Amino acid sequence: YCSTMRIGLLLATIFFSDIIAADHGSETWRRAHLSVVSVMPTWPGYERPGFGAPRGTAPEGSGIIYSLTENSLSNKILTAAHVVDRATKVQIQTHDLQRFNAKVEWVDIKSDIAILSIDSKLTSLLLTDIPFSPGEHVCALANPFGLGISMSCGVISGLNRTDIGFNAIEDFIQTDAAVNPGSSGGALVNSEGRLLGMIAAIFTKEADIDAGVNFAISASLLMARVNQSPNP
């Protein structure tokens, strides 16, 4: 009986270890954070970028260094169009506080997607369409409140959300991973650190705070729109 019980406990330990290993954690961060940046625009009438005080400061956002081929370095960055569409100047800042001047290459207001470029090539996330489903663990890597690249985690709450009213063209992944102002343009990744979408919106009618109903533009829509840009 004792031997049988020990075997049962061993199998249970292996089983639950596998489940835990499949969830988000430090490995998710390791695989994804190098490719997420802070996006710091300067807008007309604003002296410099940054979220919050002092007055006269344009809000920061987030961005994703992306490529269309696996394990590539890239100088292309996805962000939300509303982060940079009024910008007179844009800089990006990496996780290790390196700063680069960025050029706005393309803005698609209809889907709230923009592409930036910089002179240097950095570690990228692969922009591809991979299968996923509600209940899967996901993490949002972004620059909330201009604090720098941070990670919050949750699950996929729903797929193919359309007609929400944010954009003319919508295909959102809904998640309860915490998202706040400054997170727009950040990455929604799975437990393996693979890109599923770009954080775009918070659903709230009263205040611009996290309410657990957040939206990321799906990778499939990102790909479709990016492929329509002059230089994807």
Side-chain angles (χ1 to χ4, degrees):
Y1 173 78
C2 289
S3 297
T4 303
M5 189 173 183
R6 288 195 193 97
I7 292 170
L9 287 171
L10 178 61
L11 291 173
T13 300
I14 293 170
F15 175 74
F16 286 113
S17 294
D18 287 343
I19 292 176
I20 292 169
D23 292 349
H24 50 249
S26 58
E27 187 65 13
T28 309
W29 169 263
R30 187 189 69 80
R31 293 183 180 186
H33 80 282
L34 297 178
S35 304
V36 181
V37 298
S38 302
V39 175
M40 299 176 292
T42 300
W43 293 352
Y46 291 80
E47 296 174 0
R48 57 194 176 89
F51 200 93
R55 293 185 64 183
T57 299
E60 290 187 22
S62 308
I64 306 162
I65 305 164
Y66 78 95
S67 63
L68 301 177
T69 55
E70 190 104 41
N71 299 321
S72 296
L73 299 177
S74 175
N75 69 335
K76 295 293 185 67
I77 298 165
L78 281 169
T79 190
H82 70 263
V83 172
V84 298
D85 63 343
R86 289 183 282 164
T88 57
K89 176 183 177 182
V90 180
Q91 288 188 318
I92 64 103
Q93 181 171 283
T94 61
H95 70 100
D96 56 356
L97 306 184
Q98 293 186 75
R99 287 199 179 193
F100 300 89
N101 292 323
K103 179 183 177 183
V104 179
E105 295 279 358
W106 183 71
V107 174
D108 181 28
I109 298 295
K110 289 184 177 180
S111 61
D112 195 23
I113 298 168
I115 298 175
L116 312 177
S117 66
I118 59 175
D119 289 337
S120 298
K121 292 192 174 184
L122 305 174
T123 303
S124 68
L125 289 176
L126 177 65
L127 179 57
T128 187
D129 195 5
I130 60 176
F132 51 89
S133 59
E136 287 189 34
H137 288 262
V138 290
C139 294
L141 280 81
N143 176 35
F145 295 109
L147 294 171
I149 304 307
S150 310
M151 184 171 83
S152 61
C153 299
V155 298
I156 294 173
S157 306
L159 303 177
N160 306 123
R161 300 298 198 222
T162 58
D163 300 320
I164 305 296
F166 291 114
N167 307 320
I169 300 172
E170 296 178 339
D171 180 19
F172 288 123
I173 303 165
Q174 182 184 330
T175 179
D176 66 349
V179 170
N180 286 288
S183 296
S184 292
L188 187 73
V189 302
N190 65 11
S191 59
E192 298 176 346
R194 295 177 67 85
L195 184 65
L196 302 183
M198 182 181 74
I199 299 161
I202 304 168
F203 191 78
T204 175
K205 295 185 177 180
E206 295 181 359
D208 199 12
I209 58 173
D210 178 56
V213 182
N214 305 308
F215 299 98
I217 299 171
S218 70
S220 58
L221 180 55
L222 290 171
M223 291 176 64
R225 302 306 287 179
V226 164
N227 284 330
Q228 293 184 23
S229 68
N231 185 18

